[in-house]
Each structure stands twice: as structure tokens, then as C-alpha cells.
Amino acid sequence: MKVITGTVLTLSLFAFGSAQAFDITSQDIQEGHPMAKTFEYNQWGCNGGNQSPHLSWKDAPAGTKSFAITAYDPDAPTGSGFWHWIAFNIPASVKELPRGVNIKALGGNEVRIDYGTVGFGGACPPKGDGMHRYQFTIWALPTTKMELDENTQAAVVGFTLNRMALGKATLTATYTR
């Protein structure tokens, strides 16, 4: 039997699909701070205003042709988090969304979220479940149109965004009931 000694195996790791960060701000929500009831859902035992917050961003990477927006609660007691908003095909000329924005009026599209509806669905963590984080992410994309429809599964959209994004910016607010 032949024994090989002194051999060193070197592995190189490459980051494929890693996205460049850029800046996101809001007049309505702040990083790490509780959101107002204005941004709470208005069904499922919640009675908030169900408004999407104001969001603005700058310094998107070169080559950005459109944006997508997601709102996600990684703390939902589902085992897979909870999608509160998925919008895409927002023109690259848009750099700000007012509170309660109509994405279709901007030329964008939205998919069905975990409430079973299309469009923004506010925070509504179970009572007594503690603080939940709500991650609002703007995704810079290299295409003007993603070929998805309102019935595309949220996980498929998330996978697609993570694979193709040129950059992303996330603002995380909290909510407790």
C-alpha cells in the first residue's frame, strides 16, 4: 500500500451572486426601532392602518435597470418566516416610495404574500410572541422586467432576487403585540 504524505489541499471560495450594499432610509421607520400602528395589518386579529412605510434609497450600483422591494419577518413562528411584501419591476428612475404607495401606478408588479393577498400586508405578530423584526429590502436588479406573475411563490422570488441582485439595502424595524 502506498501512503501519500505532505500533500496540502487548497480550496478557494468564490462569492457568486454577492450583492453590493447601498443606502436606504425612511421618514416612517428607523433601524431597530418599533413601527407605529399605521404599519400594522388590518385583519387576522390586527386592526392597524396597513400602510407601507415611506422608503428612499441612493447609491444603487452601476447597471441597475429596476428595483424590487421585499418586507420579511424572519421571526414568524412558521419555520420559514413570513413575507409581508414583494414588489418588482419598479423602474430604475424611482428612488423613493411614499407611505401607502401604489406599486402598479409606478409600473411595477407585486406577488401574493403569506397573507394570501397581493400587495403590502402590515405587521401582525401573534399576541405574546415577543418582538418581531421586519426587514424592508430594496434590491437593485440588472433587468428592466422580471418574468414573474402574482402567483409566483415568495420563496422563488427570494431565490431569484438573491441570485441576480447587483446590490441590496435593508432597513429592519420591529413590532410587538
Side-chain angles (χ1 to χ4, degrees), residues 110-130:
E110 294 169 298
V111 301
R112 192 167 312 283
I113 56 172
D114 287 341
Y115 286 124
T117 59
V118 174
F120 179 78
C124 186
K127 284 186 179 180
D129 200 46

Side-chain angles (χ1 to χ4, degrees), residues 17 24 27 32 38 66 69 80 90 143 145:
I24 180 175
Q27 297 170 356
T38 303
S66 71
I69 298 165
S80 60
I90 298 166
T143 182
K145 184 165 176 61

Side-chain angles (χ1 to χ4, degrees), residues 15-34:
F16 292 102
S18 61
Q20 174 186 336
F22 57 103
D23 295 322
I24 180 175
T25 58
S26 176
Q27 297 170 356
D28 292 329
I29 59 175
Q30 284 79 43
E31 181 70 31
H33 291 269

